[in-house]
Amino acid sequence: EIVLTQSPGTLSLSPGERATLSCRASQSLRNSYLAWYQQKPGQAPRLLIYGASNRATDIPDRFSGSGSGTDFTLTINRLEPEDFAVYYCQQYNGSPPTFGLGTKVDIK
Amino acid sequence: QITLKESGPTLVKPTQTLTLTCTFSGFSLSRSGEGVGWIRQAPGKALEWLALIYWDDDKRYSPFLNNRLTVTKDTSKNQVVLTLTNMEPVDTATYYCAHSYRSGYLYDYWGQGTLVTVSS
């Protein structure tokens, strides 16, 4: 099983600031099979990024992903009020797919 | 437009079997590359992958649930059914079904989820 470690656990920022979220895998991810999801309270996760750096359909370009191997980053430029949520990384390198514990981005 | 919706009991007793149905639209599970996965989330916790069924009826299960899971599909009804036997309080969670295409473990569309509580 590939373990994903997300940091920080909570990120307190103001609207307009940049958020940088980290996800580290316990082993290298072939083909950068790493995704990021956003989840708001009472809602299902929403796919933001796949393949480490590809935005999913209709995702604003203030969201970007980067990284390879074991270290990955989600960057949210100019935080909008609707961006305050929990973000999960997920590896889909193989079975079983696994998720990180999440980073909560809240309003400072 | 792809949509999915989970349905089933909201309350089950310990030792009972949970049966959840995912009814979907906007894609066909008979088309090559399509898949439906199940993921759950205990209250306040992270996401946990459970199972996946592919268009060709190939199936994958979480190795951590001790063979308690079964997933089946009914292509004519656009439904996928998940069963989880011997339910325990720790299985209390919101259960989601989700769509995948070509990569069975990457989920681009999710259902709204259904909360299942295990309690006597």
Side-chain angles (χ1 to χ4, degrees), chain A residues 57-78:
Chain A
T57 303
D58 294 332
I59 300 303
D61 61 7
R62 64 179 181 274
F63 291 91
S64 63
S66 62
S68 63
T70 61
D71 291 303
F72 299 88
T73 300
L74 174 69
T75 301
I76 313 171
N77 286 312
R78 302 178 308 278

Side-chain angles (χ1 to χ4, degrees), chain B:
Chain B
Q1 179 191 3
I2 290 176
T3 64
L4 306 98
K5 187 174 184 179
E6 308 84 356
S7 59
T10 58
L11 179 66
V12 299
K13 290 179 168 41
T15 75
Q16 287 187 335
T17 293
L18 172 68
T19 299
L20 294 174
T21 300
C22 176
T23 303
F24 57 85
S25 63
F27 68 98
S28 172
L29 248 188
S30 60
R31 186 172 80 126
S32 177
E34 300 285 1
V36 172
W38 287 92
I39 302 99
R40 71 180 179 180
Q41 186 173 35
K45 302 296 185 182
L47 300 159
E48 178 187 12
W49 178 82
L50 299 177
L52 163 68
I53 187 165
Y54 287 101
W55 83 99
D56 60 358
D57 212 36
D58 191 14
K59 300 162 188 179
R60 297 286 185 268
Y61 297 106
S62 169
F64 305 114
L65 285 169
N66 300 322
N67 300 315
R68 298 168 52 207
L69 286 164
T70 303
V71 63
T72 60
K73 64 181 175 71
D74 186 331
T75 304
S76 65
K77 292 183 179 179
N78 280 352
Q79 289 182 333
V80 171
V81 175
L82 179 80
T83 61
L84 180 58
T85 61
N86 194 24
M87 292 287 283
E88 304 172 14
V90 295
D91 295 312
T92 293
T94 296
Y95 288 75
Y96 297 99
C97 62
H99 169 263
S100 71
Y101 179 64
R102 295 181 66 182
S103 172
Y105 302 127
L106 175 66
Y107 300 106
D108 52 0
Y109 296 91
W110 293 60
Q112 64 189 24
T114 185
L115 175 61
V116 179
T117 301
V118 184
S119 175
S120 55

Side-chain angles (χ1 to χ4, degrees), chain A residues 36-71:
Chain A
W36 291 92
Y37 297 86
Q38 176 194 67
Q39 188 178 35
K40 298 179 181 179
Q43 296 185 18
R46 177 174 71 144
L47 178 65
L48 298 176
I49 301 286
Y50 64 94
S53 61
N54 302 290
R55 275 188 298 276
T57 303
D58 294 332
I59 300 303
D61 61 7
R62 64 179 181 274
F63 291 91
S64 63
S66 62
S68 63
T70 61
D71 291 303

